[in-house]
Amino acid sequence: MHGNGIIKEKNIPCTLSDGVVLRSDVYRPDDGQRYPVLMLRLPYDKETPRYYDEYLDVPRMVEAGYVVILQDVRGRFASDGDFYPFIHEGKDGYEAVEWAAELPFSDGNVGLFGMSYHGYTQLAAAAEKPPSLKAIAPVMTMADPWGDILGGENSPHATGEFETWVLGSIVEDQLKRKGNLDETDKFHRYLEELSKWLYHAPADEWYPMKDLDPDSFFFDVMKGTLPDWWMEKTKLHRALHSISVPALFMGGWFDALLKPTLEAFHAYNGPNMLWIGPWTHEEMTGRAGEVFFDHAKKKIGVDEIADPTDLHIRWFNHWLKGKPLSIEKNVHLYMMGQEMWNAFNEWPEPAAMMDLFLHSSGNSQTIHGDGKLSTELTPNETKSAMKLDPKNPVPAYGGNVLIAGNESGMFDVSHIQDRSDVLVYTSEPISEDCKLFGTVKAVIWGSSSSELLDVSIRISDVDEFGRAYNIVDTFHREKVDAGTQVCLELDIGTTAYLVRKGHCIRLDIAASNAPHYDINLNNGTTTKTHSEGKTDAEYVHQGGEMNSKIILPLAEL
């Protein structure tokens, strides 16, 4: 197919060493010349428009002098073989890179690009060190996929996120490949009600997948039966220390994979660059929930680069064509609240840290309670009860979510904070602008009537109208002795956000965050493996020798 000076060839075969054939759509200049190759390897169907003209603009990349290849990974859509998440992407990626380098219209130099799962395919291929791979551009991704999806023993499990991914993005093609066409109507009924099904327990016997595809990898993961060597083979953090291929990392302040993206960037040995914008996993327009940020889609960074496509072209022009990069610094961060970008030679450290201590007489439930944040210590030790009803958990809302029925970004969460099972601590209106810059931390003293202590923590910006917009949040589970006070030292999240003079800083704490994470049933089990529980309470302790606090990283104003 020819058009606009671009040749498109569909389902070009790439035969791997084990005989499996992967198929790719190839876009290249219609001039008979050889060009570097930029390849995206994905499990979500290369025909999807998003991967052609929404995430990055393929025609512009071709016009910039590249062959662009979109390849279905093993066992997905047009490619042959059996799909099992992550395990084949290193070896297959190596062979796909070397295949692309040998194509008659390739000049032998290959770059990889893509976001999320196909950010992982880049890191896995780079870890195998294919000689023709000259640069990568992993966006909103992870280096330890199983850990980031489901955590470890006695850790919270992102069951809602995993169920959303498998049912929403994976299983339909698996059913078609198995010839289960009779299941497609049933699948669409489940998909339409996915947000409700996320509450179905136990997750390791999740009914939609039991009904649709009982032999799915879904159950290997949920039941924890993946072989140890499979788990280790897909963990790339150690391998990142030995990779020398240049990498362009990009993340979003409200992306579900922000933390693993930062971990991969910091672990990476080769030349690298990092961009973090006010983006979500769904879009990079500047809209993040109810808030819109200027200079996030066009003219990004202090260098006012046209858009993410232009940034990728500049990156690959430098490493695959030897052109000047014309971007001086390595770390580019969007400063929320200031509506501007800043650039640094390396990841910046905060200029100072500020402690805000939790104050309450024990009645800090809801925004109408007595919970306060203060720079002053209090000698009075108290505890606030945090009700946990497994049948009425505190819902996920905004932030870095990636689950059906929920949108990520900034939202007014004051209605959540007005629930009786949420503890709320609010500062006095601040007397001057407060620039949060780095990782917000917490030291929380807690106790539980069962052997699991679950803590969902969120920091928000309360404006003059009482609206509370979420900034960072996290969820933590600790195995404890029932009734014993423990000290939790937590990273709540990383941000660059200006709280305006006259606004308040607020902390809210709950014992659940559903259906993002499995729910504590107050009997030593959770909804990952069980369904029956009871209503009980956890406690947050404050004051005296149990001075719970949040720790705010501050930049110079």
Side-chain angles (χ1 to χ4, degrees), residues 199-205 518-519 521 523-533:
Y199 286 92
H200 184 269
D204 68 353
E205 297 287 344
D518 55 333
I519 304 165
L521 296 173
N523 56 15
T525 68
T526 77
T527 52
K528 178 174 180 285
T529 56
H530 292 75
S531 58
E532 298 300 322

Side-chain angles (χ1 to χ4, degrees), residues 62-80:
V62 177
E63 291 163 4
Y66 289 96
V67 174
V68 179
I69 297 178
L70 309 183
Q71 183 179 82
D72 293 323
V73 300
R74 176 188 294 252
R76 298 295 290 168
F77 295 93
S79 289
D80 297 342

Side-chain angles (χ1 to χ4, degrees), residues 77-212:
F77 295 93
S79 289
D80 297 342
D82 296 321
F83 177 72
Y84 208 101
F86 309 113
I87 192 66
H88 299 291
E89 307 307 349
K91 185 174 184 294
D92 286 1
Y94 179 104
E95 294 189 22
V97 165
E98 294 308 307
W99 164 79
E102 295 296 324
L103 291 170
F105 38 77
S106 167
D107 71 359
N109 296 299
V110 179
L112 295 172
F113 69 100
M115 66 177 296
S116 196
Y117 187 104
H118 28 299
Y120 178 88
T121 64
Q122 298 173 63
L123 297 175
E128 299 291 326
K129 300 181 173 59
S132 301
L133 183 62
K134 301 299 191 267
I136 62 176
V139 174
M140 300 183 187
T141 192
M142 64 281 182
D144 178 8
W146 298 125
D148 295 329
I149 289 173
L150 288 178
E153 186 178 3
N154 300 321
S155 296
H157 299 267
T159 52
E161 186 175 299
F162 190 55
E163 290 165 348
T164 295
W165 181 65
V166 174
L167 190 64
S169 300
I170 300 297
V171 73
E172 183 177 18
D173 183 58
Q174 300 300 97
L175 295 175
K176 290 178 180 178
R177 297 174 73 88
K178 292 178 179 180
N180 294 343
L181 299 181
D182 294 339
E183 303 293 330
T184 54
D185 287 345
K186 188 189 298 183
F187 159 76
H188 286 291
R189 288 197 296 271
Y190 284 126
L191 189 63
E192 288 173 1
E193 297 185 343
L194 176 53
S195 59
K196 296 178 181 178
W197 278 108
L198 297 183
Y199 286 92
H200 184 269
D204 68 353
E205 297 287 344
W206 198 44
Y207 186 75
M209 289 302 296
K210 276 278 191 182
D211 192 24
L212 293 171

